Amino acid sequence: MSKETLLKHLRNIPDYPMAGVQFKDVTSWFMNPDDLREIADTLYERYKDKGITKVCGIESRGFVVGAILAEKLGAGFVPIRKPGKLPYEKVSIEYRKEYGFDRIEMHKDSINERDIVLVHDDLLATGGTSSAACHMVKQFNPRKVMANFIIELTNFNARERFPMDVEIDSLIAMDELDNIN
Ligand code: AMP
């Protein structure tokens, strides 16, 4: 399946959740068996030889393909969650959003120094959440950290926010305002 075909199946919701945002609704892919398989298989091919031992999925849309990919790679899955959702001892990191600050958390025993980690989310926009996730994962001193997104909105220049040594990759790079359907 071509990227053009995938893009045709992606629903765009104007002005959601607030005016001015062009929301890329990845659930329109997740509900379509062919699209979901295409995304999972393509990412598997891309990462199968990288020695990945843990996939960290960012709540909540990053859980879907993150968990599928972890299983296909023979890696473990680690959830990165909003505050107060994880039951065990945690590490957390605060990061700046457009208005104010936010926080994400992960279990303190989820990564070790032998791990090779892939941080996954559905979409990279400003990179606030996912760059904070990579900084948090690096506190565990794993052997390597990579970051992957199904969609990258290039107009936000988010790659600048990540630690220099994090390898970043996306399946589909586009401008938020590109006409997709
Ligand atoms: P970010 O600005 O990169 O921190 O985005 C945080 C989260 O918001 C991402 O994980 C996406 O799931 C979601 N998000 C941000 N902008 C969009 C958008 N235009 N369409 C769909 N999801 C978005």
Side-chain angles (χ1 to χ4, degrees), residues 16 21-26 58-59 61 95 121-130 153 156 158 161 176:
Y16 179 88
V21 176
Q22 296 293 324
F23 192 84
K24 310 295 178 263
D25 178 15
V26 292
I58 300 178
E59 182 172 0
R61 287 178 292 269
Y95 62 96
D121 202 359
D122 65 322
L123 184 141
L124 176 63
T126 66
T129 322
S130 48
L153 300 181
F156 291 104
R161 300 181 71 164
E176 186 182 14

Side-chain angles (χ1 to χ4, degrees), residues 13-134:
I13 315 275
D15 300 318
Y16 179 88
M18 59 181 95
V21 176
Q22 296 293 324
F23 192 84
K24 310 295 178 263
D25 178 15
V26 292
T27 69
S28 58
W29 281 337
F30 295 166
M31 70 180 176
N32 178 323
D34 294 333
D35 292 343
L36 185 60
R37 188 180 313 108
E38 172 71 16
I39 291 165
D41 287 351
T42 307
L43 291 182
Y44 170 70
E45 286 300 322
R46 209 165 275 194
Y47 288 103
K48 66 180 183 196
D49 300 322
K50 304 260 187 194
I52 290 164
T53 55
K54 299 271 170 61
V55 178
C56 296
I58 300 178
E59 182 172 0
S60 57
R61 287 178 292 269
F63 290 174
V64 178
V65 169
I68 296 172
L69 198 52
E71 195 280 333
K72 284 168 91 75
L73 291 169
F77 178 79
V78 175
I80 294 182
R81 301 208 63 180
K82 290 165 187 153
K85 303 279 189 180
L86 290 169
Y88 183 56
E89 292 174 40
K90 290 156 283 200
V91 296
S92 74
I93 191 166
E94 193 177 66
Y95 62 96
R96 182 183 285 280
K97 298 220 299 184
E98 197 176 354
Y99 302 105
F101 290 87
D102 216 336
R103 180 171 283 281
I104 46 175
E105 300 181 334
M106 62 197 290
H107 278 147
K108 73 164 198 187
D109 62 351
S110 51
I111 306 285
N112 63 56
E113 293 183 354
R114 295 178 305 284
D115 279 322
I116 296 177
V117 181
L118 178 66
V119 174
H120 168 83
D121 202 359
D122 65 322
L123 184 141
L124 176 63
T126 66
T129 322
S130 48
S131 65
C134 289

